[in-house]
């Protein structure tokens, strides 16, 4: 049982890391004038939502999802990652 919970914690941590990477890359691409939302969706785990906004010279990317590392019969964990990047000079 302890092994199952440990593996579930590792799975949730991996989902958090994937969300963090997707948010960071989405914000960077958007700040450089690219399509951060499309990149974020491509890199995020399956079922994650990606929201990229630009305001006051900054880009904010939020990637969130609900993961159920111990199966659907037990409560899941909400995972959210946020990245904020300044818009690069000369970016469209």
């Amino acid at each position: 049982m302890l092994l199952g919970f440990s593996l579930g914690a590792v799975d949730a941590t991996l989902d958090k890391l994937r969300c963090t990477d997707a948010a960071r890359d989405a914000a960077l691409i958007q700040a450089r004038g690219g399509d951060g939302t499309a990149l974020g969706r491509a890199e995020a785990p399956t079922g994650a939502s990606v929201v990229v906004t630009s305001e006051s010279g900054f880009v904010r990317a939020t990637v969130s999802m609900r993961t159920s590392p111990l199966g659907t019969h037990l409560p899941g964990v909400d995972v959210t990652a946020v990245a904020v990047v300044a818009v690069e000079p000369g970016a469209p």
Side-chain angles (χ1 to χ4, degrees):
M1 188 154 140
L2 182 59
L3 177 62
F5 283 113
S6 298
L7 292 175
V10 168
D11 190 40
T13 302
L14 288 174
D15 284 337
K16 173 69 173 181
L17 290 173
R18 288 184 194 112
C19 288
T20 301
D21 288 343
R24 180 197 63 227
D25 292 344
L28 283 173
I29 292 299
Q30 188 78 24
R32 293 176 180 159
D35 188 359
T37 303
L39 179 73
R41 287 188 181 133
E43 289 188 6
T46 304
S49 68
V50 177
V51 177
V52 179
T53 58
S54 297
E55 185 178 324
S56 301
F58 290 94
V59 174
R60 178 185 177 104
T62 305
V63 179
S64 58
M65 67 177 293
R66 182 151 184 91
T67 182
S68 298
L70 300 175
T72 56
H73 56 283
L74 292 175
V77 178
D78 292 324
V79 176
T80 302
V82 177
V84 179
V85 177
V87 174
E88 294 192 11

